Structure formats: structure tokens, C-alpha cells
Amino acid sequence: AQAFARFKWKEERERSMAEIKETIRKKIPKLKGVHWEFSDISRMMTSTGGETQDVVIKIFGSDMDQLYKIAGQIKRNIENVEGLKDVDISLKTGKPEVKISIDRDKASKMGLSTAVIGQTISTAFLGEVSTRYKVGGEEYDVRIRFNERWRKTVKDIENLYIPAMGGYKVPLKEVARIEIGEGPVKIERENKKRKVSVTANIAGRDLGSVIKDVQSRINNINLPFGYYIEFGGQYEKMKEAFGGLLIALIFAIFLVYMVMASTFESLLHPLMVMFTLLLGMIGVIAGLLIFRSTLNIGSFLGIILMAGVVVNNGIVLVDYVNLLRRQKNKNVRTALVEGCTTKLRAITLTTLTTVFGMFPMAISRSQGSEFRSPMAISVIGGVLISAIFTLYLIPIIYEAVEVYLQRRSK
């Protein structure tokens, strides 16, 4: 059974979706044979492979019984991980079935092949379309199969005669073992390989730390040859997203450096300015800790945005110092002191406009703030810290490099 709940807009309710789910989860009665699970409908619409849960551990192998055994062991190991909820196994058994195990040696000696046996059983019990019946332009399948009274019990299957070479017939029970059992409701495959998944949701903790705890619990499981484990779900999507964003960040830093190198006509001065990016990262981490946010896609995009913003103050300062040294023939120390004094107001105003412009987004709790807020926090933290240190560390680095170059030239 499924029950669907539509939430009000975020600004119209006092609690988050995770808090509401946790409240409902605590009130659900514990019933024998009943498993409860929460799913996000929005993820169902955007996910591939039907993986809507936060944590999906995929076990690959050939034998379904062995896969189910490994999945059960993983489930037992991770059930008590803090923040992990709705732990379940994707493989559902209990579908009744008749299992027919053919003795290939016996069948071969009697002139029977597995293909002939399978085709005979299928035709007798499922039927086979032999022709079509046409009436008034409509066509209907004519299906040939045993009468219903001859396909009701297991004995009917056992007494089914299979035509063999030579014109004689062999009862199925002479070449096969027939038994009633239970089988999986469905067999899942990925990249043409059988798999069973252990799924779970997260409440009260971030995805990265939970996955770290889960990995530590399943690392000691000895897998048989040919069996292996992969992580899917939201963790897999996060890894893919972070990989793409990391490439974008590296590309952004490279482009910023190229622009500054062509502007300063120097390879060293841009490196001094790029040092503010490292300082900015300190501000990003501090901001996320203060606001109790996490490193996610939104905050990563904020880091990329910060990479293009924080260098502005350094460019303004270094460019003005170079101008003073070139046009007014001032020494390095005098040019740096005058440059920092003159550009203090410009750097302060640039920083404050960015911070105050992003602040409403950082403290917003409206719909979609889960994505926007971490991005604004990253920019604010990075810009603030880098601006403060730009006026102190860049002049120190600039003077140290210039003094070293002058001594080397002498």
C-alpha cells in the first residue's frame, strides 16, 4: 500500500520535510511482517534506475541465493548506523513457483534436449499461437494448449510426455526433478549483471559522513569470487556532480590566471593574487561551520563563484602598486604602503556590497533555500576572509618576492 502526502510551501510551515518524516516515523506502529519506507516523489521523477533512496548498496553476482545472503549480512551490519533509516533489501521472495531441474545426462541418453523439454512444457501449460482467426477485419490469436483439467497439479507436470527421437515418448518425471518452492518477485540487472540492492534513507546527518560509517561496516565482509559491491543512489549522483564541478573549478582558476597574466604581463604577480583563493577557502569552511551547512552542490558552486570574485581585490591592489613603481619610481615598501592606504576604501566597499548582497540569500529559509543558502554562505565567507588578508598577506608576499628577485639580479 502507498500513502502520498503533499507538503505546503516551505515558508508556510514551521518544520522541514525531514523533521515531519521523523515525527511520522516515530508514530508508526511496529507490526510483524510489515515494512515501512519513505520515498521522495520528486526523486522518482528525476532518478535513473528507480533509485530514490539516499543510500543504495548494490551487490553484483550470478547466484541469487548468494546475493540475498550477502545483502542480509550487509543489512544487519549497517542497521544500527546513526542517522540511517528504512533499511531494506530490494530482492523480494515469496512468489510461488514450480522448479524443474533437468538431469542432462539422462535426457541426452534418451535423445532429449533441454530446448525440446522446455518447448513442450511451455506449449502444454502456457500455450502456443498456431494461427489467427479473422472476423470482420479483426484478428484473434488461436492458442493451442492442454485442457485446464490436465494442467492443474504438479502430477500433471510430472506425467507430461516429451517426444523423443525414434518416435517414442518419455514422461517428464523420468528426466527431471520437480519441486514447489519460492522465487524472487523480480530479478534486477545492471549492465547485464544480476544485482541485489540494500537501500536506506538518511535523517539527521549528512550523506558523506553516513556513507563513511557504512563503508567501515561492510569493508570486513568477505565476498566470494565474482561478487562485488558498488554504491549508488544519491551518493553516486553526488560523486558525479562533484567530479564535474571540480573540473569546472580547475578550469575557472586556469582562466582567471591567464587573464591576470596577460594584464600584469608577468607570471609571478598573478600567483600572488591567486594566493587569496587559498585564504578564501578558509572563509568558506568557517562560514559553513558557523551556519551549520554542508559541502554540497550549492556550496561548491559558491566556491566557483568565489574564485572569480576574491581575486578582484588582489588585482586592484597589485595593479595600483605596479603603477606607482612604474610611473612614480617609488620603492617596493613605499608603493605597497601607499597602495594599501589608497585602495582600502575600494576593497572595503567591493567586499561589503558582495556580502550584503548575498546575506538575504544566506539566511533565507524559503522554497529552494537548501540550494541557494549554501552557495551564498560560501561566497560570503570566502570574500570576507580573503579581503581581510588581502591587505596584509599580499603586500608581505609581494615584497618578499621582489626583494628576492632584486638580490638574485645583483
Side-chain angles (χ1 to χ4, degrees), residues 194-260:
R194 287 184 175 183
K195 74 166 184 178
V196 172
S197 302
V198 179
T199 62
N201 290 316
I202 292 175
R205 290 185 69 191
D206 63 281
L207 182 60
S209 61
V210 170
I211 290 292
K212 189 176 179 180
D213 288 348
V214 169
Q215 286 175 330
S216 67
R217 300 287 180 91
I218 66 176
N219 282 340
N220 58 350
I221 296 177
N222 294 321
L223 298 175
F225 179 76
Y227 293 77
Y228 60 95
I229 292 173
E230 288 182 0
F231 280 86
Q234 298 305 309
Y235 177 70
E236 185 181 29
K237 292 180 177 64
M238 183 182 75
K239 278 178 63 179
E240 291 174 358
F242 273 31
L245 289 171
L246 184 61
I247 294 172
L249 178 61
I250 293 170
F251 194 57
I253 292 171
F254 178 69
L255 287 176
V256 168
Y257 178 80
M258 286 178 61
V259 170
M260 287 193 294

Side-chain angles (χ1 to χ4, degrees), residues 111-215:
L112 296 172
S113 67
T114 54
V116 171
I117 296 172
Q119 184 63 39
T120 305
I121 296 170
S122 176
T123 303
F125 289 89
L126 298 177
E128 185 177 336
V129 177
S130 60
T131 185
R132 290 176 179 274
Y133 179 62
K134 294 183 179 180
V135 178
E138 296 289 334
E139 289 188 351
Y140 302 91
D141 291 340
V142 178
R143 184 176 292 274
I144 306 297
R145 65 175 176 177
F146 274 15
N147 190 291
E148 188 176 352
R149 67 194 180 103
W150 299 112
R151 50 184 173 87
K152 277 188 171 182
T153 65
V154 176
K155 278 200 172 297
D156 292 334
I157 302 174
E158 291 177 344
N159 296 326
L160 176 66
Y161 284 90
I162 312 296
M165 289 187 296
Y168 61 92
K169 297 178 181 179
V170 179
L172 181 61
K173 62 185 177 182
E174 294 294 327
V175 293
R177 187 177 75 256
I178 302 162
E179 56 188 2
I180 295 176
E182 290 183 347
V185 177
K186 64 176 181 178
I187 296 176
E188 295 180 339
R189 285 184 174 84
E190 188 174 316
N191 297 325
K192 300 180 181 179
K193 295 178 182 177
R194 287 184 175 183
K195 74 166 184 178
V196 172
S197 302
V198 179
T199 62
N201 290 316
I202 292 175
R205 290 185 69 191
D206 63 281
L207 182 60
S209 61
V210 170
I211 290 292
K212 189 176 179 180
D213 288 348
V214 169
Q215 286 175 330

Side-chain angles (χ1 to χ4, degrees), residues 304-330:
I304 296 174
L305 181 60
M306 179 208 68
V309 174
V310 297
V311 296
N312 289 343
N313 294 332
I315 292 171
V316 168
L317 179 60
V318 173
D319 188 52
Y320 187 67
V321 170
N322 288 340
L323 182 69
L324 292 175
R325 292 182 62 198
R326 187 171 56 249
Q327 293 185 358
K328 298 186 179 181
N329 294 323
K330 294 192 175 183

Side-chain angles (χ1 to χ4, degrees), residues 249 276-296 299-300 302-304 306 310 374-386 389:
L249 178 61
T276 57
L277 289 177
L278 296 176
L279 302 172
M281 286 303 301
I282 297 172
V284 170
I285 295 168
L288 293 176
L289 287 173
I290 292 169
F291 282 87
R292 295 187 177 182
S293 186
T294 58
L295 183 62
N296 49 42
S299 53
F300 211 121
I303 292 172
I304 296 174
M306 179 208 68
V310 297
M375 181 171 63
I377 292 168
S378 298
V379 176
I380 290 172
V383 169
L384 263 179
I385 298 298
S386 66
F389 282 103

